[in-house]
């Protein structure tokens, strides 16, 4: 039997009908993924059941796709040390946890629904918080959610972003190249789907800029810009919003307070994480050994080596 959390019936139904989960095959597929990881001399990765099942569920139980996702996940974390910085739960991370910027609301959008994150942009202090600091917090939170939040993993996440009093100097830090590098991890690395992003309390000028951003998005339907609180309440359901917004889904201050304890409890986990990497030299040598002779290559075929050449810039 796999050592994973049991799902509530509603979430188990989502996993079965939308992610192709079959209880009879769970152990077999976890073992297949674990065996593959053990065979890659260049890859040091976590192999506990709960961690692996998160990637398998995201990939609809396609073991080959889960291999690619895990490989990207660790390749990114190896290459992008500049963005992710130290894996220590340090003072900077805990200060962000206490800042009131971020909150994970206690109730998902229904028992089988997506997790809800709430971000208060006006609580960001550009003199203390850089854009990369904010990204690092997101990355740490996501890595905890891989291990703790089945709604986040199976049903996805809704992001509510409150633009009240957003500091203009923060917008000046925006760099398209850095944004692409950050987005690569959120889109191709972590095992969850963004269900929707809801913007509230944005000024007219900000709404105009966000409208331009939406026009160039691949999935325009994911970005919702609300002109007032009532519009957000109708879209999400008033009962799923925090008390500060007239809802019943806990308070932002209580939700914020959970982060410090959560990160502190995972301090050892993140410290151990330093050893989970991709060794690019070993990887290149391994792929060279596995590369078929030129006469045996099918036109247009690609090898697994393409993942080594991923460009995050």
């Amino acid at each position: 039997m796999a050592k994973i959390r049991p799902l509530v019936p509603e979430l188990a139904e989502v996993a079965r009908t939308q992610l192709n989960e079959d209880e009879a095959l769970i152990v077999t597929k976890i073992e297949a993924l674990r065996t593959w990881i053990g065979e890659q001399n260049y890859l040091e990765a976590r192999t506990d059941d709960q961690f692996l099942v998160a990637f398998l569920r995201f990939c609809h139980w396609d073991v080959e796709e889960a291999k690619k996702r895990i490989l990207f996940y660790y390749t990114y974390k190896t290459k992008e040390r500049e963005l992710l910085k130290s894996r220590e739960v340090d003072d900077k991370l805990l200060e962000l946890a206490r800042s009131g910027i971020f909150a994970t609301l206690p109730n998902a959008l229904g028992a089988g629904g997506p997790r809800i994150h709430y971000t208060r942009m006006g609580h960001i202090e550009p003199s203390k918080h850089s854009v990369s600091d904010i990204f690092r917090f997101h990355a740490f939170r996501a890595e905890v959610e891989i291990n703790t939040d089945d709604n986040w993993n199976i049903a996805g996440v809704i992001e509510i972003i409150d633009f009240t009093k957003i500091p203009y100097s923060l917008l000046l830090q925006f760099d398209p190249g850095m944004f692409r590098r950050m987005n690569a991890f959120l889109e191709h690395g972590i095992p969850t789907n963004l269900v929707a992003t809801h913007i509230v309390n944005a000024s007219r000028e900000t709404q105009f800029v966000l409208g331009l951003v939406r026009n160039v998005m691949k999935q325009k339907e994911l970005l919702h810009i609300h002109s007032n609180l009532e519009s957000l309440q109708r879209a999400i359901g008033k009962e799923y919003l925090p008390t500060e917004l007239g809802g019943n889904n806990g308070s932002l201050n209580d939700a914020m307070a959970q982060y410090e304890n959560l990160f502190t409890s995972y301090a050892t986990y993140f410290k151990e994480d330093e050893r989970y990497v991709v060794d690019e030299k070993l990887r290149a040598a391994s792929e060279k050994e596995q590369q078929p002779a030129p006469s045996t290559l099918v036109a247009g075929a690609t090898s697994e080596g393409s993942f080594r050449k991923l460009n995050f810039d």
Side-chain angles (χ1 to χ4, degrees):
M1 179 179 290
K3 296 179 180 179
I4 59 176
R5 285 182 300 276
L7 301 176
V8 298
E10 296 87 346
L11 203 53
E13 181 66 8
V14 173
R16 184 184 68 81
T17 59
Q18 298 184 24
L19 305 184
N20 302 321
E21 186 157 313
D22 183 343
E23 287 191 15
L25 297 176
I26 289 176
V27 172
T28 300
K29 295 203 172 187
I30 289 175
E31 284 303 323
L33 185 54
R34 181 182 289 117
T35 298
W36 175 81
I37 290 172
E39 291 172 347
Q40 313 311 307
N41 67 336
Y42 56 82
L43 174 61
E44 288 288 337
R46 295 185 182 276
T47 57
D48 58 277
D49 289 358
Q50 192 69 60
F51 181 84
L52 296 182
V53 82
F55 286 87
L56 285 162
R57 280 172 170 158
F58 179 84
C59 295
H60 293 212
W61 291 92
D62 183 324
V63 176
E64 294 304 313
E65 288 301 314
K67 291 177 185 178
K68 295 175 185 177
R69 191 84 180 183
I70 283 181
L71 193 51
F72 188 105
Y73 178 83
Y74 282 110
T75 298
Y76 185 98
K77 295 212 300 179
T78 301
K79 288 188 172 184
E80 288 290 6
R81 291 300 179 96
E82 178 190 352
L83 283 178
L84 294 171
K85 302 178 183 177
S86 167
R87 305 299 292 157
E88 296 279 346
V89 176
D90 53 21
D91 290 342
K92 172 70 75 172
L93 190 69
L94 294 179
E95 193 279 326
L96 278 168
R98 302 182 195 110
S99 67
I101 300 168
F102 307 101
T104 297
L105 302 187
N107 299 321
L109 196 71
R115 179 60 58 201
I116 304 171
H117 289 162
Y118 197 95
T119 302
R120 291 184 282 190
M121 300 294 284
H123 284 239
I124 297 174
E125 298 180 48
S127 62
K128 297 167 62 177
H129 312 134
S130 69
V131 171
S132 60
D133 291 332
I134 301 301
F135 170 70
R136 181 171 179 252
F137 184 96
H138 275 284
F140 269 72
R141 178 172 64 179
E143 292 181 67
V144 172
E145 287 169 321
I146 288 173
N147 294 279
T148 61
D149 196 334
D150 295 316
N151 287 80
W152 177 89
N153 175 224
I154 293 170
V157 62
I158 292 172
E159 299 284 352
I160 303 175
I161 305 178
D162 187 341
F163 273 70
T164 301
K165 295 182 180 179
I166 180 173
Y168 178 70
S169 56
L170 179 70
L171 299 177
L172 296 178
Q173 294 186 30
F174 178 79
D175 175 79
M178 181 181 289
F179 177 80
R180 284 193 295 272
R181 289 165 62 195
M182 294 174 178
N183 190 60
F185 187 59
L186 302 177
E187 185 175 350
H188 302 295
I190 61 173
T192 190
N193 280 311
L194 177 63
V195 175
T197 297
H198 293 270
I199 306 295
V200 67
N201 295 327
S203 67
R204 289 186 178 182
E205 294 80 6
T206 303
Q207 288 184 43
F208 176 76
V209 173
L210 290 169
L212 296 177
V213 171
R214 181 166 56 188
N215 287 339
V216 299
M217 289 176 61
K218 291 181 180 179
Q219 294 177 290
K220 297 178 176 61
E221 70 279 4
L222 297 184
L223 180 60
H224 307 271
I225 304 170
H226 300 278
S227 58
N228 53 55
L229 178 57
E230 290 73 23
S231 174
L232 176 67
Q233 291 174 336
R234 289 193 298 270
I236 299 292
K238 187 175 179 179
E239 67 273 24
Y240 293 113
L241 294 175
T243 55
E244 290 86 345
L245 276 72
N248 303 310
N249 200 359
S251 76
L252 292 175
N253 286 337
D254 288 345
M256 172 196 72
Q258 304 300 316
Y259 284 133
E260 184 170 0
N261 291 335
L262 190 62
F263 286 144
T264 300
S265 71
Y266 267 78
T268 300
Y269 177 96
F270 285 114
K271 190 172 184 179
E272 291 173 348
D273 207 56
E274 292 281 3
R275 70 185 183 91
Y276 297 115
V277 296
V278 171
D279 186 318
E280 292 294 351
K281 290 183 179 179
L282 286 176
R283 184 176 183 176
S286 176
E287 289 168 353
K288 186 175 181 180
E289 290 176 2
Q290 296 173 21
Q291 187 73 36
S295 60
T296 65
L297 281 172
V298 178
T302 58
S303 74
E304 204 173 76
S306 60
F307 290 96
R308 181 169 58 85
K309 300 172 185 175
L310 284 170
N311 183 2
F312 304 123
D313 294 329

